[in-house]
Amino acid sequence: MGLNFQKLPVNTMVGASWDTFKKVCAGRTVDKGYKNKYRFTKIICRILSSLNGVENSRYKSRFKDTKIEEAPVFIIGHWRSGTTFMHNVFACDKQFGYTTTYQTVFPFLMLFMQRFFKKMAAISMPKKRPTDNLELNTDQPQEEEFAMANMTPYSFYNFWVFPRDTAEYREKYLLFKTIDKQELDDYKEAYTRLIKLSMWNTGGKRYLSKNPPNTGRIPQLLEMFPNAKFIYLVRNPYTVFESTRNYFTNTIRPLKFQDYDDESMTKDILDNYKELYFKYEEDKKLIPEGNLVEMRFEDFEADPLKKMQEIYEKLSLPGFEAAQPAIAAYVNKKKGYKKNKYDYEPATVEIVEKNWDFALEKWGYKIKK
């Protein structure tokens, strides 16, 4: 994630609307060791939310009645499946608009005082993501669920703050199985707003999404955008497990208001993967012919330029020739990028094969013995 909140007694909810903060925290347990973080976050959120009136007024007058003309492109797949790299490659094409890292933390400070708060945010940010060494800055493409968690209380990413409630959030806000109609309507309204401001902010005409939780929301996304394009990435499940455990550990630590043990986190990771996998397999048949590409990340990583051309062609996306020089330059720049390496311990192999054998078999990743 973006800001280095590990150094501050706050978390990313400082940029939430006051209504969102209250609803997310209502009835939830804040453990003793996190009371100060909770109080500081609450105070700053309350102060910043006093500026929301200006932001809301400007949004209503400038954007509320505008139409989203082009069908968005949704990059989906489980966390740590290579979606960030693909997102950055696609963002080289200037036709795309995307949510920035700054916007995910301060979604209500886009039309008012963005320049000031962006400078403040940049001071707190590391140059690289601690989870995978990818570059990081305020204007970089970012997964929009972090913004949605600040715009609405109906986001799966509430689990970063209250991790012991992950199972509840998974059913209701990751898979939308138990979400009620009003909550879903509010979520769609907030998402529409986010998309409009993202495209305005980055100058794009078609929205580019990279958001793992959207893997479980295909029916709802198609209700909003019937001609939406989807790219589903998969990656070696042994790597995904190790990388997700590392990512969740590093991300939850500065954001949580609760204690959360490793055993509980491991169970939640295993359950999230399984539930997302089968929900996607069930829902993908709803996607119109020609609007879905499924791809192994290892294949994409081996030749990103060639695979990008294939994706554009399969999804009938215009503009590849115009974007090709910028894409090639970015890909060539990343050739020396050092990824985290994972040596699979016997325990990892055992737990993945016991719990995710279905994915190992389907995508041909199982270790030959």
Side-chain angles (χ1 to χ4, degrees), residues 36-75:
N36 285 339
K37 183 193 294 185
Y38 168 78
R39 293 189 188 101
F40 275 108
T41 302
K42 181 179 180 180
I43 290 170
I44 296 176
C45 175
R46 190 72 181 97
I47 293 171
L48 294 182
S49 290
S50 66
L51 304 174
N52 288 3
V54 177
E55 179 85 8
N56 292 337
S57 177
R58 292 185 180 184
Y59 171 76
K60 288 178 182 179
S61 64
R62 295 174 58 182
F63 298 101
K64 185 174 177 58
D65 295 327
T66 61
K67 302 288 186 181
I68 299 174
E69 301 290 347
E70 301 291 342
V73 173
F74 294 101
I75 301 171

Short mmCIF file of all heavy atoms in Angstrom, two decimals, residues 36-75:
data_model
loop_
_atom_site.label_atom_id
_atom_site.label_comp_id
_atom_site.label_asym_id
_atom_site.label_seq_id
_atom_site.Cartn_x
_atom_site.Cartn_y
_atom_site.Cartn_z
N ASN A 36 -4.47 4.48 20.86
CA ASN A 36 -3.92 5.77 20.44
C ASN A 36 -4.02 5.93 18.92
O ASN A 36 -4.35 7.01 18.43
CB ASN A 36 -2.48 5.91 20.90
CG ASN A 36 -2.36 6.20 22.38
OD1 ASN A 36 -3.31 6.68 23.01
ND2 ASN A 36 -1.20 5.92 22.95
N LYS A 37 -3.71 4.86 18.20
CA LYS A 37 -3.82 4.92 16.75
C LYS A 37 -5.26 5.22 16.34
O LYS A 37 -5.50 6.04 15.45
CB LYS A 37 -3.37 3.60 16.12
CG LYS A 37 -3.40 3.62 14.59
CD LYS A 37 -3.26 2.23 13.99
CE LYS A 37 -1.91 1.64 14.27
NZ LYS A 37 -1.72 0.33 13.57
N TYR A 38 -6.19 4.56 17.01
CA TYR A 38 -7.61 4.79 16.72
C TYR A 38 -7.99 6.25 17.00
O TYR A 38 -8.65 6.90 16.17
CB TYR A 38 -8.47 3.85 17.56
CG TYR A 38 -9.94 4.19 17.55
CD1 TYR A 38 -10.74 3.84 16.47
CD2 TYR A 38 -10.52 4.86 18.64
CE1 TYR A 38 -12.10 4.16 16.46
CE2 TYR A 38 -11.87 5.18 18.63
CZ TYR A 38 -12.65 4.83 17.54
OH TYR A 38 -13.98 5.15 17.53
N ARG A 39 -7.56 6.78 18.14
CA ARG A 39 -7.92 8.15 18.51
C ARG A 39 -7.33 9.17 17.55
O ARG A 39 -8.02 10.11 17.12
CB ARG A 39 -7.46 8.44 19.94
CG ARG A 39 -8.19 7.62 21.01
CD ARG A 39 -7.83 8.11 22.40
NE ARG A 39 -8.36 7.23 23.44
CZ ARG A 39 -7.63 6.33 24.10
NH1 ARG A 39 -6.33 6.22 23.85
NH2 ARG A 39 -8.19 5.57 25.03
N PHE A 40 -6.03 9.01 17.20
CA PHE A 40 -5.39 9.94 16.28
C PHE A 40 -6.05 9.87 14.91
O PHE A 40 -6.29 10.90 14.26
CB PHE A 40 -3.90 9.63 16.17
CG PHE A 40 -3.06 10.27 17.23
CD1 PHE A 40 -2.49 9.50 18.24
CD2 PHE A 40 -2.82 11.63 17.23
CE1 PHE A 40 -1.71 10.08 19.23
CE2 PHE A 40 -2.04 12.22 18.21
CZ PHE A 40 -1.48 11.45 19.22
N THR A 41 -6.33 8.67 14.44
CA THR A 41 -6.99 8.51 13.15
C THR A 41 -8.36 9.19 13.16
O THR A 41 -8.73 9.90 12.21
CB THR A 41 -7.16 7.02 12.80
OG1 THR A 41 -5.88 6.39 12.79
CG2 THR A 41 -7.81 6.84 11.44
N LYS A 42 -9.08 8.97 14.22
CA LYS A 42 -10.42 9.56 14.36
C LYS A 42 -10.37 11.08 14.33
O LYS A 42 -11.18 11.73 13.63
CB LYS A 42 -11.05 9.08 15.67
CG LYS A 42 -12.46 9.59 15.92
CD LYS A 42 -12.98 9.02 17.24
CE LYS A 42 -14.40 9.50 17.54
NZ LYS A 42 -14.91 8.94 18.82
N ILE A 43 -9.42 11.65 15.05
CA ILE A 43 -9.30 13.12 15.11
C ILE A 43 -8.98 13.69 13.73
O ILE A 43 -9.62 14.65 13.27
CB ILE A 43 -8.21 13.53 16.13
CG1 ILE A 43 -8.69 13.22 17.56
CG2 ILE A 43 -7.88 15.01 15.99
CD1 ILE A 43 -7.59 13.36 18.60
N ILE A 44 -7.97 13.11 13.07
CA ILE A 44 -7.57 13.65 11.77
C ILE A 44 -8.67 13.44 10.74
O ILE A 44 -8.95 14.32 9.91
CB ILE A 44 -6.26 12.99 11.31
CG1 ILE A 44 -5.13 13.35 12.27
CG2 ILE A 44 -5.90 13.44 9.89
CD1 ILE A 44 -3.81 12.68 11.96
N CYS A 45 -9.32 12.29 10.78
CA CYS A 45 -10.44 12.03 9.87
C CYS A 45 -11.54 13.07 10.06
O CYS A 45 -12.09 13.60 9.09
CB CYS A 45 -10.99 10.62 10.09
SG CYS A 45 -12.46 10.24 9.13
N ARG A 46 -11.85 13.38 11.30
CA ARG A 46 -12.91 14.36 11.58
C ARG A 46 -12.53 15.73 11.05
O ARG A 46 -13.38 16.44 10.48
CB ARG A 46 -13.14 14.44 13.09
CG ARG A 46 -14.39 15.27 13.46
CD ARG A 46 -15.63 14.49 13.08
NE ARG A 46 -16.85 15.24 13.37
CZ ARG A 46 -17.52 15.96 12.49
NH1 ARG A 46 -17.09 16.05 11.22
NH2 ARG A 46 -18.63 16.58 12.82
N ILE A 47 -11.27 16.10 11.20
CA ILE A 47 -10.82 17.42 10.72
C ILE A 47 -10.87 17.49 9.21
O ILE A 47 -11.42 18.43 8.62
CB ILE A 47 -9.39 17.71 11.22
CG1 ILE A 47 -9.37 17.89 12.74
CG2 ILE A 47 -8.83 18.95 10.53
CD1 ILE A 47 -7.98 17.96 13.34
N LEU A 48 -10.33 16.46 8.55
CA LEU A 48 -10.30 16.47 7.09
C LEU A 48 -11.69 16.37 6.49
O LEU A 48 -11.96 16.93 5.42
CB LEU A 48 -9.41 15.34 6.57
CG LEU A 48 -7.92 15.44 6.89
CD1 LEU A 48 -7.16 14.26 6.28
CD2 LEU A 48 -7.34 16.75 6.37
N SER A 49 -12.57 15.66 7.17
CA SER A 49 -13.94 15.51 6.66
C SER A 49 -14.69 16.84 6.63
O SER A 49 -15.69 16.97 5.91
CB SER A 49 -14.71 14.49 7.51
OG SER A 49 -14.22 13.19 7.30
N SER A 50 -14.22 17.81 7.40
CA SER A 50 -14.87 19.12 7.39
C SER A 50 -14.71 19.81 6.03
O SER A 50 -15.44 20.76 5.72
CB SER A 50 -14.29 20.01 8.50
OG SER A 50 -12.92 20.31 8.24
N LEU A 51 -13.76 19.31 5.22
CA LEU A 51 -13.54 19.88 3.89
C LEU A 51 -14.39 19.21 2.82
O LEU A 51 -14.43 19.65 1.68
CB LEU A 51 -12.06 19.74 3.50
CG LEU A 51 -11.03 20.33 4.46
CD1 LEU A 51 -9.61 19.98 4.00
CD2 LEU A 51 -11.20 21.85 4.57
N ASN A 52 -15.08 18.14 3.19
CA ASN A 52 -15.81 17.35 2.20
C ASN A 52 -16.96 18.10 1.53
O ASN A 52 -17.34 17.79 0.41
CB ASN A 52 -16.35 16.06 2.83
CG ASN A 52 -15.26 15.06 3.11
OD1 ASN A 52 -14.08 15.33 2.90
ND2 ASN A 52 -15.64 13.90 3.62
N GLY A 53 -17.51 19.09 2.24
CA GLY A 53 -18.63 19.84 1.66
C GLY A 53 -18.23 20.53 0.37
O GLY A 53 -18.99 20.53 -0.61
N VAL A 54 -17.04 21.14 0.36
CA VAL A 54 -16.56 21.81 -0.85
C VAL A 54 -16.35 20.79 -1.96
O VAL A 54 -16.76 21.00 -3.11
CB VAL A 54 -15.25 22.56 -0.56
CG1 VAL A 54 -14.71 23.20 -1.83
CG2 VAL A 54 -15.45 23.61 0.53
N GLU A 55 -15.72 19.66 -1.61
CA GLU A 55 -15.47 18.61 -2.59
C GLU A 55 -16.78 18.08 -3.18
O GLU A 55 -16.90 17.93 -4.41
CB GLU A 55 -14.71 17.46 -1.92
CG GLU A 55 -14.40 16.28 -2.82
CD GLU A 55 -13.13 16.45 -3.64
OE1 GLU A 55 -12.41 17.43 -3.40
OE2 GLU A 55 -12.87 15.60 -4.50
N ASN A 56 -17.74 17.79 -2.34
CA ASN A 56 -19.02 17.24 -2.80
C ASN A 56 -19.75 18.22 -3.71
O ASN A 56 -20.35 17.83 -4.72
CB ASN A 56 -19.90 16.87 -1.61
CG ASN A 56 -19.35 15.69 -0.83
OD1 ASN A 56 -18.59 14.89 -1.36
ND2 ASN A 56 -19.73 15.59 0.44
N SER A 57 -19.70 19.48 -3.35
CA SER A 57 -20.36 20.51 -4.16
C SER A 57 -19.74 20.60 -5.55
O SER A 57 -20.45 20.68 -6.56
CB SER A 57 -20.27 21.86 -3.45
OG SER A 57 -20.84 22.88 -4.24
N ARG A 58 -18.42 20.56 -5.60
CA ARG A 58 -17.74 20.63 -6.90
C ARG A 58 -17.99 19.38 -7.73
O ARG A 58 -18.15 19.45 -8.95
CB ARG A 58 -16.23 20.84 -6.68
CG ARG A 58 -15.91 22.20 -6.08
CD ARG A 58 -14.42 22.45 -5.98
NE ARG A 58 -14.14 23.77 -5.42
CZ ARG A 58 -12.93 24.30 -5.27
NH1 ARG A 58 -11.85 23.60 -5.67
NH2 ARG A 58 -12.78 25.50 -4.76
N TYR A 59 -18.04 18.23 -7.07
CA TYR A 59 -18.32 17.00 -7.82
C TYR A 59 -19.72 17.05 -8.43
O TYR A 59 -19.91 16.71 -9.61
CB TYR A 59 -18.20 15.78 -6.91
CG TYR A 59 -18.69 14.52 -7.57
CD1 TYR A 59 -17.90 13.88 -8.54
CD2 TYR A 59 -19.95 13.98 -7.28
CE1 TYR A 59 -18.37 12.74 -9.19
CE2 TYR A 59 -20.41 12.84 -7.92
CZ TYR A 59 -19.62 12.22 -8.87
OH TYR A 59 -20.08 11.10 -9.53
N LYS A 60 -20.71 17.46 -7.65
CA LYS A 60 -22.08 17.50 -8.15
C LYS A 60 -22.24 18.46 -9.33
O LYS A 60 -22.95 18.16 -10.29
CB LYS A 60 -23.02 17.92 -7.01
CG LYS A 60 -23.22 16.84 -5.95
CD LYS A 60 -24.12 17.33 -4.83
CE LYS A 60 -24.26 16.26 -3.75
NZ LYS A 60 -25.12 16.74 -2.62
N SER A 61 -21.58 19.58 -9.27
CA SER A 61 -21.72 20.58 -10.34
C SER A 61 -20.95 20.22 -11.59
O SER A 61 -21.35 20.57 -12.71
CB SER A 61 -21.28 21.96 -9.84
OG SER A 61 -19.89 21.96 -9.52
N ARG A 62 -19.85 19.46 -11.44
CA ARG A 62 -18.99 19.19 -12.60
C ARG A 62 -19.09 17.78 -13.16
O ARG A 62 -18.88 17.57 -14.36
CB ARG A 62 -17.53 19.47 -12.22
CG ARG A 62 -17.25 20.93 -11.90
CD ARG A 62 -15.83 21.13 -11.39
NE ARG A 62 -14.82 20.69 -12.34
CZ ARG A 62 -13.51 20.73 -12.11
NH1 ARG A 62 -13.07 21.19 -10.94
NH2 ARG A 62 -12.66 20.32 -13.02
N PHE A 63 -19.39 16.80 -12.31
CA PHE A 63 -19.26 15.41 -12.75
C PHE A 63 -20.47 14.51 -12.54
O PHE A 63 -20.58 13.48 -13.21
CB PHE A 63 -18.06 14.75 -12.04
CG PHE A 63 -16.74 15.39 -12.34
CD1 PHE A 63 -16.16 16.27 -11.43
CD2 PHE A 63 -16.08 15.13 -13.53
CE1 PHE A 63 -14.95 16.86 -11.70
CE2 PHE A 63 -14.87 15.73 -13.81
CZ PHE A 63 -14.29 16.59 -12.90
N LYS A 64 -21.35 14.85 -11.61
CA LYS A 64 -22.41 13.91 -11.23
C LYS A 64 -23.25 13.45 -12.42
O LYS A 64 -23.63 12.27 -12.51
CB LYS A 64 -23.32 14.54 -10.17
CG LYS A 64 -24.37 13.57 -9.64
CD LYS A 64 -25.15 14.16 -8.49
CE LYS A 64 -26.25 13.25 -8.01
NZ LYS A 64 -25.75 11.93 -7.58
N ASP A 65 -23.54 14.34 -13.36
CA ASP A 65 -24.41 14.00 -14.48
C ASP A 65 -23.66 13.59 -15.74
O ASP A 65 -24.28 13.34 -16.78
CB ASP A 65 -25.33 15.19 -14.80
CG ASP A 65 -26.29 15.49 -13.65
OD1 ASP A 65 -26.71 14.54 -12.97
OD2 ASP A 65 -26.61 16.68 -13.44
N THR A 66 -22.33 13.50 -15.66
CA THR A 66 -21.57 13.06 -16.84
C THR A 66 -21.69 11.55 -17.00
O THR A 66 -21.92 10.82 -16.04
CB THR A 66 -20.09 13.44 -16.72
OG1 THR A 66 -19.52 12.79 -15.56
CG2 THR A 66 -19.92 14.94 -16.59
N LYS A 67 -21.53 11.09 -18.22
CA LYS A 67 -21.65 9.66 -18.54
C LYS A 67 -20.26 9.02 -18.66
O LYS A 67 -19.30 9.67 -19.09
CB LYS A 67 -22.39 9.47 -19.86
CG LYS A 67 -23.78 10.08 -19.90
CD LYS A 67 -24.77 9.31 -19.06
CE LYS A 67 -26.18 9.85 -19.24
NZ LYS A 67 -27.17 9.12 -18.40
N ILE A 68 -20.17 7.76 -18.27
CA ILE A 68 -18.97 6.97 -18.52
C ILE A 68 -19.17 6.30 -19.86
O ILE A 68 -19.93 5.33 -19.98
CB ILE A 68 -18.74 5.94 -17.39
CG1 ILE A 68 -18.55 6.66 -16.05
CG2 ILE A 68 -17.52 5.07 -17.70
CD1 ILE A 68 -18.47 5.73 -14.85
N GLU A 69 -18.54 6.81 -20.89
CA GLU A 69 -18.81 6.40 -22.26
C GLU A 69 -18.18 5.07 -22.63
O GLU A 69 -18.80 4.22 -23.27
CB GLU A 69 -18.34 7.49 -23.24
CG GLU A 69 -18.99 8.86 -23.02
CD GLU A 69 -20.46 8.90 -23.39
OE1 GLU A 69 -20.93 7.94 -24.05
OE2 GLU A 69 -21.15 9.86 -23.01
N GLU A 70 -16.91 4.88 -22.26
CA GLU A 70 -16.18 3.68 -22.67
C GLU A 70 -16.24 2.60 -21.59
O GLU A 70 -16.14 2.90 -20.40
CB GLU A 70 -14.72 4.02 -22.96
CG GLU A 70 -14.51 5.07 -24.05
CD GLU A 70 -14.87 4.56 -25.42
OE1 GLU A 70 -14.96 3.32 -25.60
OE2 GLU A 70 -15.06 5.40 -26.34
N ALA A 71 -16.41 1.36 -22.02
CA ALA A 71 -16.46 0.25 -21.06
C ALA A 71 -15.11 0.10 -20.36
O ALA A 71 -14.07 0.05 -21.03
CB ALA A 71 -16.82 -1.05 -21.78
N PRO A 72 -15.09 0.03 -19.04
CA PRO A 72 -13.82 -0.12 -18.32
C PRO A 72 -13.14 -1.46 -18.61
O PRO A 72 -13.76 -2.42 -19.07
CB PRO A 72 -14.25 -0.05 -16.84
CG PRO A 72 -15.58 0.62 -16.84
CD PRO A 72 -16.23 0.19 -18.12
N VAL A 73 -11.85 -1.50 -18.30
CA VAL A 73 -11.06 -2.73 -18.35
C VAL A 73 -10.74 -3.11 -16.91
O VAL A 73 -10.13 -2.32 -16.18
CB VAL A 73 -9.77 -2.55 -19.16
CG1 VAL A 73 -8.89 -3.80 -19.05
CG2 VAL A 73 -10.09 -2.24 -20.61
N PHE A 74 -11.13 -4.31 -16.50
CA PHE A 74 -10.92 -4.77 -15.14
C PHE A 74 -9.85 -5.87 -15.11
O PHE A 74 -10.05 -6.95 -15.68
CB PHE A 74 -12.22 -5.32 -14.55
CG PHE A 74 -13.28 -4.29 -14.35
CD1 PHE A 74 -14.33 -4.17 -15.26
CD2 PHE A 74 -13.24 -3.42 -13.26
CE1 PHE A 74 -15.32 -3.21 -15.07
CE2 PHE A 74 -14.22 -2.45 -13.07
CZ PHE A 74 -15.27 -2.35 -13.99
N ILE A 75 -8.72 -5.57 -14.47
CA ILE A 75 -7.69 -6.58 -14.23
C ILE A 75 -8.01 -7.24 -12.89
O ILE A 75 -8.04 -6.57 -11.85
CB ILE A 75 -6.29 -5.95 -14.18
CG1 ILE A 75 -5.98 -5.23 -15.50
CG2 ILE A 75 -5.22 -7.01 -13.90
CD1 ILE A 75 -4.70 -4.40 -15.46
#
